[in-house]
């Protein structure tokens, strides 16, 4: 029998790539989104297909749909977006998790949560393993997202222990690629768009803070493997362990675009983590997964995408 798969946040950056992959695999896909940060443009090419449906809905409101699997991705992911309406962000993360877990329980559906490296906060353990409990400011401007996602993880494990819901939890580290929104505010899209427009590159702080950047195709492969296996419930880190300073990222983008943009220093946002690098030993062991696309190759693809967007 054919399965129906719900993708919440399916019109967003990661969600649209996931929907595309599931449709190509012949699954019936129900994409749910309220378009807070996503766009119909990301999934327009799927709309006319026989195995793709779109529902405009807010996951903090209950919904009953006949689905067999759920990927719960709905939530703004860029600090600019999640902190400009923090109450909506917490509602999405927490009430959304409750609604989707309730649906999974009623449907006996497997449900995967797109959690985040932000559950580690500004980490004091480096690189971060899944056993690290994190270092999070519960009342700062990032807390709506960090604590919302932490509470969602709590709910996932409580529904698993108390109600035997079949859960999977992945902790995604900074992922980039085509279909990030040009005004998304995240560092890769910001730097590429600024470089292509010849505008100043906005480097926050001294640029010495680090991140580890994973190309979208690698991440979606890891997400699909996590959903498809029957042993590991998580949490499991998915990300590219290659770590770069943000200044190195700026210099790489400038060299790959051939841009003459200058670097403009701006204040470091409050609670901006100083370092971030996933330990992916668990994903290697449980999923046989590791990223394949290096930063330069992934950036070239992403630059090509943004050139098209800016030319349109
Ligand atoms: P995105 O902002 O592009 O996508 C999020 C999608 O969720 C958007 O389409 C948005 O409109 C939708 N959405 C937001 N609130 C909603 C609500 N209340 N009801 C229904 N839909 C809603 O971000 P993304 O990068 O694609 O992230 C997808 C998921 O992955 C998020 O849960 C995010 O926390 C997680 N994640 C992403 C990254 C990353 O680097 N991209 C890192 C860690 C975690
Ligand atoms: N950053 C920057 N310039 C920008 C946007 C972000 O220097 O225009 C920095 C930001 O301060 C952080 C890093 O890049 O240290 C990654 O930021 P992003 O918002 O992409 O994701 P985060 O990992 O902080 O959630």
């Amino acid at each position: 029998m054919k399965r129906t798969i719900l993708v919440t946040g399916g019109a967003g950056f990661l969600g649209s790539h996931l929907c595309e992959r599931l449709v190509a695999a012949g699954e019936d896909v129900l994409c749910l989104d309220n378009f807070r940060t996503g766009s119909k443009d990301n999934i327009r090419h799927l709309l006319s297909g026989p195995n793709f449906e779109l529902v405009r809905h807010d996951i903090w409101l209950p919904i009953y749909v006949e689905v067999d699997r759920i990927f719960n991705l709905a939530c703004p992911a860029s600090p600019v977006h999640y902190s400009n309406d923090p109450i909506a962000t917490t509602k999405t993360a927490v009430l959304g998790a409750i609604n989707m877990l309730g649906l999974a329980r009623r449907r006996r559906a497997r449900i995967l949560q797109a959690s985040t490296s932000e559950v580690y906060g500004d980490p004091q353990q480096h690189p971060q393993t899944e056993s690290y409990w994190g270092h999070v400011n519960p009342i700062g401007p990032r807390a709506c997202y960090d604590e919302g996602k932490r509470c969602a993880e709590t709910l996932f494990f409580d529904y698993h222990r108390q109600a035997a819901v079949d859960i999977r939890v992945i902790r995604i580290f900074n992922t980039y690629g085509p279909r990030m929104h040009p005004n998304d505010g995240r560092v890769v899209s910001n730097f590429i768009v600024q470089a292509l427009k010849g505008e100043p590159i906005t480097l926050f702080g001294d640029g010495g803070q680090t991140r580890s950047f994973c190309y979208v195709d690698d991440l979606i492969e890891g997400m699909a493997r996590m959903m498809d296996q029957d042993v590991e419930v998580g949490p499991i880190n998915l990300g590219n362990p290659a770590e770069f300073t943000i200044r190195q990222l700026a210099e790489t983008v400038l060299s790959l675009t051939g841009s003459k943009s200058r670097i403009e220093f701006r204040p470091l946002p409050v609670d901006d983590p100083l370092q971030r690098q996933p330990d992916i030993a668990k994903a290697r062991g449980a999923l046989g997964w590791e990223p394949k696309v290096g930063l330069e190759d992934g950036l070239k693809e992403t630059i090509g995408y943004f050139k098209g967007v800016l030319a349109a």
Side-chain angles (χ1 to χ4, degrees):
M1 232 194 36
K2 231 178 168 194
R3 279 187 309 218
T4 301
I5 304 192
L6 175 64
V7 180
T8 77
F13 160 50
L14 295 180
S16 62
H17 286 274
L18 177 65
C19 286
E20 199 168 75
R21 178 188 171 111
L22 295 170
V23 165
E27 308 277 15
D28 260 331
V29 176
L30 183 57
C31 168
L32 181 156
D33 208 293
N34 71 350
F35 302 116
R36 175 167 168 204
T37 53
S39 160
K40 234 186 217 178
D41 289 338
N42 288 337
I43 41 149
R44 202 173 293 285
H45 59 298
L46 300 173
L47 284 172
S48 57
N51 52 341
F52 183 80
E53 279 177 277
L54 176 63
V55 184
R56 186 182 202 124
H57 183 79
D58 210 311
I59 56 157
W60 78 58
L61 302 170
I63 184 167
Y64 184 82
V65 277
E66 303 226 331
V67 293
D68 306 298
R69 280 190 171 181
I70 303 169
F71 286 90
N72 188 35
L73 272 62
C75 189
S78 156
V80 174
H81 287 129
Y82 65 63
S83 53
N84 81 5
D85 190 348
I87 297 171
T89 300
T90 303
K91 281 184 174 174
T92 296
V94 177
L95 297 179
I98 292 171
N99 288 330
M100 289 306 118
L101 284 160
L103 178 62
R105 173 156 67 172
R106 284 199 297 281
R107 291 288 310 159
R108 297 186 196 285
R110 180 173 293 177
I111 178 167
L112 178 144
Q113 167 70 352
S115 190
T116 168
S117 53
E118 284 287 318
V119 300
Y120 302 123
D122 188 7
Q124 293 177 322
Q125 177 190 297
H126 194 72
Q128 294 80 53
T129 55
E130 291 84 353
S131 57
Y132 177 52
W133 288 355
H135 181 232
V136 174
N137 175 359
I139 56 168
R142 296 174 83 102
C144 57
Y145 184 72
D146 299 10
E147 297 290 16
K149 289 283 190 177
R150 284 168 68 95
C151 183
E153 284 200 11
T154 306
L155 286 160
F156 267 70
F157 280 86
D158 284 339
Y159 271 76
H160 180 57
R161 283 185 291 254
Q162 193 179 327
V165 172
D166 186 16
I167 62 160
R168 300 287 180 274
V169 176
I170 58 172
R171 291 181 177 157
I172 304 171
F173 285 64
N174 298 64
T175 300
Y176 69 99
R179 298 206 198 112
M180 292 183 92
H181 196 281
N183 300 326
D184 181 84
R186 281 181 274 190
V187 69
V188 173
S189 43
N190 267 12
F191 284 2
I192 293 177
V193 170
Q194 289 161 348
L196 292 176
K197 288 181 162 173
E199 292 172 355
I201 304 286
T202 52
L203 191 61
F204 299 165
D206 64 3
Q209 71 272 32
T210 68
R211 293 294 186 273
S212 306
F213 298 100
C214 186
Y215 188 62
V216 60
D217 291 356
D218 282 332
L219 194 279
I220 297 296
E221 176 65 32
M223 194 187 287
R225 285 192 193 196
M226 183 63 173
M227 183 58 123
D228 285 340
Q229 53 78 42
D230 296 322
V231 180
E232 177 64 53
V233 298
I236 201 159
N237 290 338
L238 292 183
N240 192 322
E243 185 185 11
F244 298 87
T245 66
I246 298 303
R247 181 190 270 274
Q248 282 174 318
L249 177 73
E251 284 160 359
T252 310
V253 168
L254 283 173
S255 117
L256 292 176
T257 52
S259 168
K260 300 270 180 299
S261 290
R262 63 189 170 80
I263 291 181
E264 187 175 283
F265 289 90
R266 301 261 179 96
L268 192 67
V270 176
D271 293 336
D272 197 286
L274 283 180
Q275 53 182 1
R276 189 181 284 156
Q277 183 189 31
D279 180 318
I280 60 163
K282 196 169 171 184
R284 280 199 179 100
L287 311 177
W289 174 87
E290 63 182 1
K292 295 193 166 51
V293 183
L295 184 62
E296 288 211 0
D297 288 340
L299 285 177
K300 282 180 195 159
E301 288 293 322
T302 314
I303 290 166
Y305 168 78
F306 278 115
K307 277 185 181 163
V309 169
L310 295 179

